[in-house]
């Protein structure tokens, strides 16, 4: 299921740098970790954003055969923004498992209305629930002025209810630190039956360094399976969103 993809990486560099124009760091299997402390970004609010798109082929686009007959169709834009329910029913949710320095553990996610708090424990807050993949997506804020109170954060994405698999979306999780370039993690690996994905692990190491490590581990279950994989030890039950779609 690809649980351990990306744990072993190259040591020559900490990350892949994007172009100067994009001002982004892309975390990959080979270069999977970056230090917020070293780039002077371990303070202020860390913004974590999830966006996704759908390919036109997911709802009746051109087939391979039609492209062979009409090669100029390949020049047309291959993607559209999946922000309309009439266009496609897709609902990816952003969540975060947290463990604080005092041993407190919990989750921030749309299901159950566990939205957190940015100015009080757990110092993690979910802002909004994007049901249709709009341009703004879903966002989690982490108050790094309280980084000494945070031990580790596991940012994850899961598919809510009857929606396409990850390999049919162009999901991207982007971290916007208070200083330096943004950090991007793409969820474009092919795992057709996966329902959840552990995306990135943010840890406050014993030396006081705040690191961001790419995980991108797909699982076939939901939050409880991610919990077991990372040893969080929470109790899980069936959850629902407060408002019907």
């Amino acid at each position: 299921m690809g649980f351990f993809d990306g744990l072993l990486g190259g040591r020559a560099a900490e990350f892949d740098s994007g172009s100067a124009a994009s001002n982004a760091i892309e975390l990959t299997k080979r270069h999977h970790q970056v230090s917020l402390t070293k780039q002077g970004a371990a303070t202020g609010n860390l913004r974590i954003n999830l966006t996704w798109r759908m390919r036109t082929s997911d709802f009746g686009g051109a087939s391979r055969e039609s492209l062979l007959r009409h090669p100029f169709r390949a020049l047309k834009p291959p993607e559209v923004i999946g922000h309309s329910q009439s266009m496609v029913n897709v609902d990816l949710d952003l969540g975060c498992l947290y463990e604080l320095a005092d041993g407190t553990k919990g989750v921030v996610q749309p299901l159950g209305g566990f939205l957190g708090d940015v100015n009080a424990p757990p110092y993690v807050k979910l802002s909004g629930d994007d049901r249709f993949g709009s341009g703004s997506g879903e966002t989690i804020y982490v108050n790094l002025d309280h980084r000494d109170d945070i031990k580790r954060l596991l940012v994850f994405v899961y598919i809510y209810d009857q929606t396409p698999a990850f390999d049919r979306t162009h999901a991207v999780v982007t971290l916007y630190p208070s200083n330096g370039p943004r950090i991007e993690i793409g969820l474009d690996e092919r795992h057709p039956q996966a329902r959840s994905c552990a995306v990135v692990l943010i840890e406050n190491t014993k030396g006081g360094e705040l690191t961001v490590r790419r995980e991108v581990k797909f699982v076939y279950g939901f939050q409880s399976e991610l919990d077991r994989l990372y040893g969080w030890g929470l109790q899980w039950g069936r959850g629902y969103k407060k408002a019907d779609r």
Side-chain angles (χ1 to χ4, degrees), residues 67 70-78:
L67 287 177
H70 306 281
F72 289 104
R73 288 185 182 179
L75 300 178
K76 295 182 179 180

Side-chain angles (χ1 to χ4, degrees), residues 151 164 189 227-228 230 240:
K151 182 177 180 180
E189 297 179 17
D227 182 312
R228 288 192 295 270
Y230 287 87
Y240 300 90

Side-chain angles (χ1 to χ4, degrees), residues 17-67:
S17 296
S19 67
S22 65
N23 190 32
I25 292 170
E26 181 184 2
L27 295 186
T28 65
K29 286 184 178 181
R30 183 178 180 185
H31 305 308
H32 59 272
Q33 184 167 302
V34 63
S35 170
L36 294 180
T37 302
K38 289 181 178 178
Q39 69 178 41
T43 59
N45 283 336
L46 171 67
R47 181 163 60 97
I48 304 171
N49 182 249
L50 164 69
T51 57
W52 67 91
R53 294 180 292 175
M54 297 296 295
R55 292 191 296 268
T56 54
S57 59
D58 290 330
F59 30 87
S63 66
R64 179 178 176 84
E65 182 180 359
S66 63
L67 287 177

